[in-house]
Amino acid sequence: MMSLKSNFELMAAYNQRINSSIYNAAATLSSDELKRDRGAFFSSIIGTLNHIIVGDTIWLKRFANHPASFPSLDYIRALDTPLSLDAIIYPQFSALTAARNKMDDVIVQLTSELSDDDVACTLEYSNTKGLVFRKNFGALLQHLFNHQTHHRGQVSTLLFQAGIDIGATDLLMNIADVESPSQA
């Protein structure tokens, strides 16, 4: 049986791999194509990629208040909190790519620091409207990954409409084969 920590480490590795694929594909487009309004919820490819990093920043800043005081989140603690969910905090693709790479490294490191007690903890946080919530930290961490998957799917579609196929995006690609007892 897979532990929650192992699950989150798997999700962080998957997240990092797919983000790399998305960004490598997007890098083949011009700045104008990245910024072109494609009728998506966050307008453009760069708008949607910025939204994902905005969401990550907001959630990781909340996670930085976890009683475990994860050292991996020191970088996040120093960041400004985005002012809106549609903020374009990185209008230049090169800066966005660097920020995404750093954010993914932080997420991988965070999952390596987790313990079962950390995951089971209740986290109190305020949303962007100032409402206070108390929720299971593990469920919130799962939401972080789910949020990225949702919006990366939108980016994948936008890239496909621009003529770019990023290839297989399934989590299955990150799940190792298990040896059968007869192979051991």
Side-chain angles (χ1 to χ4, degrees):
M1 185 169 120
M2 176 183 267
S3 71
L4 284 175
K5 176 183 174 60
S6 295
N7 177 67
F8 290 131
E9 288 173 327
L10 172 67
M11 293 305 297
Y14 166 71
N15 170 67
Q16 191 170 46
R17 178 179 69 83
I18 295 301
N19 281 337
S20 179
S21 294
I22 291 269
Y23 276 74
N24 287 338
T28 66
L29 295 174
S30 70
S31 179
D32 287 343
E33 282 296 305
L34 290 169
K35 294 176 182 176
R36 188 173 132 223
D37 186 338
R38 296 177 183 275
F41 193 79
F42 292 99
S43 179
S44 63
I45 292 168
I46 203 156
T48 306
L49 292 173
N50 265 279
H51 170 71
I52 296 169
I53 210 159
V54 162
D56 288 354
T57 302
I58 290 169
W59 277 107
L60 291 170
K61 285 186 85 59
R62 292 170 183 162
F63 296 172
N65 293 321
H66 189 285
S69 295
F70 302 111
S72 58
L73 298 181
D74 288 346
Y75 165 78
I76 299 298
R77 288 178 186 94
L79 294 178
D80 291 333
T81 301
L83 299 177
S84 68
L85 295 176
D86 62 353
I88 304 293
I89 53 179
Y90 299 103
Q92 299 304 317
F93 188 70
S94 59
L96 179 61
T97 301
R100 177 76 267 159
N101 290 336
K102 178 62 178 170
M103 189 74 67
D104 287 345
D105 288 343
V106 167
I107 293 168
V108 167
Q109 183 62 36
L110 170 63
T111 62
S112 76
E113 295 171 357
L114 293 175
S115 71
D116 289 342
D117 287 343
D118 296 333
V119 173
C121 184
T122 298
L123 184 72
E124 183 174 309
Y125 67 93
S126 298
N127 72 4
T128 57
K129 295 177 181 168
L131 300 174
V132 176
F133 295 89
R134 293 176 42 84
K135 297 191 181 217
N136 172 265
F137 177 69
L140 294 173
L141 187 54
Q142 189 65 46
H143 170 72
L144 173 87
F145 292 118
N146 188 63
H147 179 261
Q148 285 196 22
T149 300
H150 168 71
H151 289 296
R152 274 195 309 261
Q154 293 173 335
V155 174
S156 176
T157 298
L158 297 175
L159 287 168
F160 189 78
Q161 290 170 351
I164 299 169
D165 182 356
I166 65 165
T169 60
D170 289 337
L171 173 63
L172 183 61
M173 307 302 287
N174 278 72
I175 300 173
D177 285 335
V178 178
E179 289 186 28
S180 66
S182 63
Q183 292 174 323

